[in-house]
Amino acid sequence: MQCDDVLAFATAAAVPGVTDDDMLLAQALEAEGTKVVPAVWDDPAVEWTRFAAVVIRSCWDYHLKHEQFLAWVHRLDTLGVRVFNPPALVRWNSEKTYLRDLAARGVAVAPTRWVGQGEQVSLGDVMGERGWDAVVVKPAVSASAHETWRSGRTPAVGDEERFRRMTDRGRVLVQPFLDEVQQEGEWSLLFYGGAYSHAVIKRPREGDFRVQREHGGQSESRVASSEAIAAASTALHAATGIASRSMTSPASELLYARVDGCMVNGAFTLMELELIEPDLYLRAHPDAPARLAGALQVALGLAS
């Protein structure tokens, strides 16, 4: 039997409870009478149909079990379980080829050389054809900078071997390394219920380029420019437009989004559009938990 006042926060076996940041959202929801229960997404014992909705949160291993994860999302959809974000958006956003879709819609995306699985090309060739002195390499299915690494002007033998192993396994992205990541940092603009909430800027630790906390990166609350907010909103609008073609629920049910990018020559350049399990930086703004809780209650028809 479904419990109309109980939500599941989908987690991973390695982080089975509600994270500290998500706890702020859980507390805001529970203050309004909605209970939150953590549930590991690939635990076969979970009865998902008993929840009013499932909010995908700390499923931080989904990229390691990609097909299984997508099958789970499809199963929830088939069972009629409300899922946030909507399954069509999750499927589309689970592989970084979404960046190619957004670029085709006119969104300013970091330049990318797509390397197909098994494509016979070296990393040095890719860098030479594009004129890139330093690059970042990442798999098309990845999260939290998993298997994301940097190579310099002349790729070492080890880099070429690593690149070949990656392309043997699947599609790979190669992008120019943006100095702005180390000089200024990477922006994250947070949207709840489609509305802009706040922003943080993330910086890598000394000697690294990865901005994630697990790699030593740090973040701080910052005021984003109107130009950056407009660019992020454009990217989000394009995303819902693309995914809505296969959505059984309206695009307005997009609950949360994190738009990551850098200011390059004064313009916001998209690095990632996170719609599955991002850190939502609820701790970075005092009103953020209530804003997201309100957006979720509206989506569930519990508030107007």
Side-chain angles (χ1 to χ4, degrees):
M1 179 180 295
Q2 185 186 82
C3 298
D4 292 337
D5 58 350
V6 180
L7 300 177
F9 276 15
T11 65
V15 280
V18 178
T19 65
D20 290 346
D21 200 59
D22 287 343
M23 184 59 71
L24 299 174
L25 172 59
Q27 291 169 347
L29 288 167
E30 291 180 356
E32 298 297 327
T34 301
K35 184 179 179 180
V36 170
V37 176
V40 176
W41 72 268
D42 56 350
D43 181 351
V46 178
E47 297 180 16
W48 299 101
T49 54
R50 76 182 184 92
F51 299 110
V54 175
V55 183
I56 300 176
R57 287 311 307 126
S58 51
C59 300
W60 293 337
D61 58 353
Y62 86 87
H63 59 292
L64 304 176
K65 309 173 183 179
H66 188 226
E67 293 303 321
Q68 182 183 349
F69 177 76
L70 293 184
W72 170 71
V73 172
H74 177 71
R75 176 169 167 260
L76 294 185
D77 198 21
T78 301
L79 290 171
V81 178
R82 301 276 305 274
V83 183
F84 297 99
N85 280 317
L89 276 168
V90 170
R91 285 190 291 269
W92 174 76
N93 192 235
S94 70
E95 186 168 357
K96 297 186 191 300
T97 45
Y98 72 79
L99 291 169
R100 186 163 53 190
D101 295 339
L102 292 174
R105 289 284 187 107
V107 175
V109 175
T112 304
R113 168 60 157 91
W114 299 90
V115 182
Q117 183 175 6
E119 184 177 340
Q120 298 302 304
V121 63
S122 70
L123 181 58
D125 288 342
V126 170
M127 296 174 67
E129 74 182 32
R130 294 299 180 97
W132 294 337
D133 290 335
V135 295
V136 173
V137 181
K138 61 184 75 172
V141 178
S142 179
S144 301
H146 174 71
E147 286 198 21
T148 297
W149 48 281
R150 180 181 175 183
S151 186
R153 182 183 298 271
T154 302
V157 172
D159 286 352
E160 290 289 6
E161 291 176 349
R162 186 176 186 181
F163 182 70
R164 187 182 67 254
R165 289 195 299 270
M166 288 178 67
T167 56
D168 284 345
R169 293 195 299 269
R171 188 181 287 112
V172 173
L173 293 74
V174 182
Q175 297 174 321
F177 176 75
L178 299 179
D179 292 330
E180 288 81 359
V181 173
Q182 289 183 323
Q183 294 172 358
E184 180 184 0
E186 180 180 289
W187 286 88
S188 282
L189 281 71
L190 287 304
F191 289 77
Y192 305 147
Y196 172 70
S197 174
H198 63 287
V200 300
I201 195 163
K202 303 172 295 185
R203 295 185 176 89
R205 69 180 180 184
E206 186 71 27
D208 205 333
F209 69 95
R210 296 167 298 180
V211 298
Q212 292 82 2
R213 282 196 297 172
E214 56 265 45
H215 299 298
Q218 297 184 340
S219 64
E220 62 178 291
S221 181
R222 290 282 292 272
V223 177
S225 67
S226 58
E227 291 81 5
I229 296 171
S233 298
T234 296
L236 198 55
H237 180 73
T240 54
I242 292 167
S244 64
R245 292 174 296 184
S246 58
M247 289 176 69
T248 55
S249 55
S252 60
E253 289 196 355
L254 174 67
L255 177 62
Y256 58 75
R258 198 184 80 201
V259 186
D260 294 344
C262 289
M263 300 302 294
V264 179
N265 297 322
F268 185 83
T269 298
L270 182 70
M271 303 292 290
E272 300 275 1
L273 177 61
E274 301 278 5
L275 305 179
I276 299 178
E277 38 63 271
D279 184 336
L280 294 173
Y281 293 98
L282 296 166
R283 61 197 176 278
H285 194 288
D287 297 331
R291 288 172 179 169
L292 183 52
L296 181 52
Q297 289 175 321
V298 169
L300 291 172
L302 302 176
S304 59

